[in-house]
Amino acid sequence: ELRALLDLEPNTVLRVTYLDDEQDTVTINCQQDLNEALSSNPEPLRLQVSVPPTVSHHSGIGRAGDQVPQARFVAHLSVPDGTHCAAGSEFVKSWRVRNTGPCGWPAGARLIHVGGSRLDGDCQVPVPALLPNQETDISVTLTAPEESGHYVSYWRLASALPRERRYGQRIWLQIQVPPQDGSAGTSTCESEHTQVVCRQCGGERCIVGVRWRGRLGQDNLCESHYGQLETDLQTKYDRVVGSHPRTLAHLCKSPLRTSVERLVQRFDEDQGMVDELLHILEPIFFQIPRPLMDAALAVVRPFLDAMAIVDDRPKLSQLRHKLHAMVGSICTNSGQLSKTHGKPGSLLQVSVNTVSRLIADQTPSLTTCLLYTSPSPRDS
C-alpha cells in the first residue's frame, strides 16, 4: 500500500523509521517492530518512509547512512522475570540476542543501561561485532538492592563513544527483592484509606491497599494482619477497596480504553465493583515490563469485555475471580509473554477459552466476538 501511495515500483525497498521516547531513530523491519513502536509511544506515532540507497548484502558493516544496525531479543538465559533475589546478593543476568539487520554490528559496540531501576554493578558490557543473522549471549553482573520491592531495568545496544548511537530492541531484567524479616512487605497498592489506621499496626499511618472493616464494632485491619486471624474471626470483617486513580489513568491511555469506558458506564452505580476491578488489574502496571504491556493487557481484555455485558451476578462473580487468577498468572509467568517477542501466545488462548466457557450459555454473540483476540495456530 505504501509503494502504491508513493507511486513506486512493486519491488522497491522501503525504510520505515521513527523516533522512540529516547529520541533514537529506530527502523521497523516487521510487524513485531511496529507493534512495539505503537505500545511504546502513547502519542500519535510519526513514521518516516524513505527509499534507501542500494546496499550490499555482504556480511560486513555498512557505510554510515546506508545501513542501520539492528538487534532483536531472543531469550532470557538466566534470572527469569520475577526471580526472587535476596537483598544485597550478586547475580548474573544473561540474554540471547540476534543481529536482524542488513549489516554487522559496529566494532566497539556495547550493551548499556538505558532506564528503569539502576542496580549496582555493570552499567555497560562489550558485545562482539556480530554478523547478520548470527546470535550471541550477553551477560551483566549486578547486585540486588538492599530495600525490598519490585525492580525492572532496561538495557540497549549502542555504538562506541564518543559518537554513541543506540540501536535494536530494548531488553530488560525483572526481579523481586523480598523483605529480609520474612514479612509481606510494604503494599504497592495506590489506594490509601485516609485517617483509617490498622489497630494492630498502631501509629498514625493510614491503611494502604485493602482494608478489612469489622461488622460488629471491631477496629479496621490491614491485609497483612487480617490474614493472621483465625478463619472464624475473618468472617466478621468486610473487605473494603479504595479508589485507584493512577491505574484508571493508565488504562485509559492503553489499548483497553474502550473496554474500561464500557465497564465504568456499566457499573455507574456500583463504584465498589469498579474499584475492585482496578485493584485486580493494578499489579500489571508495576510488575510487567513495558515491552510486554500490550501483550499482558490483551490477555485480560476478554474478561473486561464480558463483564461489561453479562448481567447475571453469579457469572460476574466468577468472571472477577477468574480475572484475578489470570492477572496472577501473567505476573508470575510473564516469561510466556516474552517467548514470542511480545505476542501473548498461550496465555491469551487460555483467557479466551476461560471466558467463552463461562458465558457461552448466556451470551453466545459475545463468545463469537472474543475469538478476534485468539492467536492463530502458528502463534500458539
Side-chain angles (χ1 to χ4, degrees), residues 64-83:
D66 285 351
Q67 298 173 318
V68 179
Q70 295 293 316
R72 178 167 290 281
F73 165 83
V74 176
H76 295 284
L77 302 182
S78 65
V79 192
D81 287 347
T83 296

Side-chain angles (χ1 to χ4, degrees), residues 152-166:
V152 181
S153 181
Y154 295 98
W155 299 71
R156 195 173 183 187
L157 293 174
S159 60
L161 294 172
R163 300 184 63 181
E164 178 181 284
R165 182 177 186 180
R166 300 174 185 180

Side-chain angles (χ1 to χ4, degrees), residues 116-189:
S117 304
R118 176 68 181 92
L119 308 182
D120 290 340
D122 293 330
C123 61
Q124 63 176 20
V125 291
V127 297
L130 204 65
L131 299 179
N133 298 318
Q134 289 187 339
E135 296 182 355
T136 189
D137 299 341
I138 308 175
S139 300
V140 293
T141 301
L142 301 166
T143 300
E146 294 291 342
E147 183 177 350
S148 63
H150 178 84
Y151 298 88
V152 181
S153 181
Y154 295 98
W155 299 71
R156 195 173 183 187
L157 293 174
S159 60
L161 294 172
R163 300 184 63 181
E164 178 181 284
R165 182 177 186 180
R166 300 174 185 180
Y167 59 92
Q169 284 185 318
R170 276 180 291 185
I171 56 180
W172 66 91
L173 66 92
Q174 179 185 180
I175 63 170
Q176 293 272 7
V177 179
Q180 299 185 54
D181 58 5
S183 66
T186 303
S187 173
T188 52
C189 178

Side-chain angles (χ1 to χ4, degrees), residues 186-318:
T186 303
S187 173
T188 52
C189 178
E190 67 169 298
S191 176
E192 294 186 1
H193 301 266
T194 307
Q195 297 182 345
V196 179
V197 298
C198 171
R199 66 180 173 86
Q200 294 293 338
C201 293
E204 299 181 354
R205 182 177 179 180
C206 65
I207 294 177
V208 178
V210 175
R211 73 179 173 101
W212 292 88
R213 180 178 57 203
R215 287 195 301 271
L216 302 178
Q218 305 99 321
D219 294 330
N220 292 278
L221 293 176
C222 65
E223 182 84 6
S224 177
H225 284 105
Y226 170 81
Q228 298 174 17
L229 294 177
E230 297 292 338
T231 303
D232 58 333
L233 292 178
Q234 289 182 345
T235 61
K236 299 177 180 180
Y237 287 80
D238 291 323
R239 175 185 170 94
V240 180
V241 177
S243 61
H244 291 68
R246 290 197 299 274
T247 301
L248 180 59
H250 285 313
L251 287 167
C252 288
K253 295 179 181 178
S254 77
L256 294 186
R257 175 178 178 176
T258 301
S259 299
V260 171
E261 288 176 346
R262 284 200 297 262
L263 271 175
V264 172
Q265 183 177 5
R266 163 77 169 79
F267 297 108
D268 181 48
E269 299 181 359
D270 188 357
Q271 185 60 40
M273 174 65 82
V274 175
D275 291 338
E276 180 68 34
L277 292 176
L278 293 176
H279 179 70
I280 291 173
L281 296 172
E282 182 182 36
I284 292 177
F285 292 98
F286 64 83
Q287 292 193 31
I288 299 300
R290 185 174 176 181
L292 302 181
M293 185 61 66
D294 275 11
L297 294 177
V299 174
V300 302
R301 180 174 183 173
F303 291 93
L304 304 186
D305 288 344
M307 296 182 73
I309 297 177
V310 173
D311 291 322
D312 184 73
R313 300 299 293 188
K315 290 288 185 183
L316 283 172
S317 179
Q318 286 182 295

Side-chain angles (χ1 to χ4, degrees), residues 46-119:
R46 299 181 184 274
L47 299 177
Q48 179 177 352
V49 182
S50 60
V51 181
T54 302
V55 297
S56 134
H57 292 282
H58 295 169
S59 57
I61 298 176
R63 300 187 306 275
D66 285 351
Q67 298 173 318
V68 179
Q70 295 293 316
R72 178 167 290 281
F73 165 83
V74 176
H76 295 284
L77 302 182
S78 65
V79 192
D81 287 347
T83 296
H84 283 228
C85 297
S89 63
E90 186 177 89
F91 63 94
V92 177
K93 172 66 182 182
S94 300
W95 302 269
R96 179 163 294 159
V97 294
R98 175 183 298 153
N99 180 348
T100 55
C103 61
W105 291 351
R110 305 159 296 141
L111 179 71
I112 63 173
H113 177 262
V114 294
S117 304
R118 176 68 181 92
L119 308 182

Side-chain angles (χ1 to χ4, degrees), residues 22 98 101 213 236 282 294 298 319 321 327 340 358:
E22 297 171 354
R98 175 183 298 153
R213 180 178 57 203
K236 299 177 180 180
E282 182 182 36
D294 275 11
L319 285 167
H321 287 301
V327 170
T340 52
L358 284 174

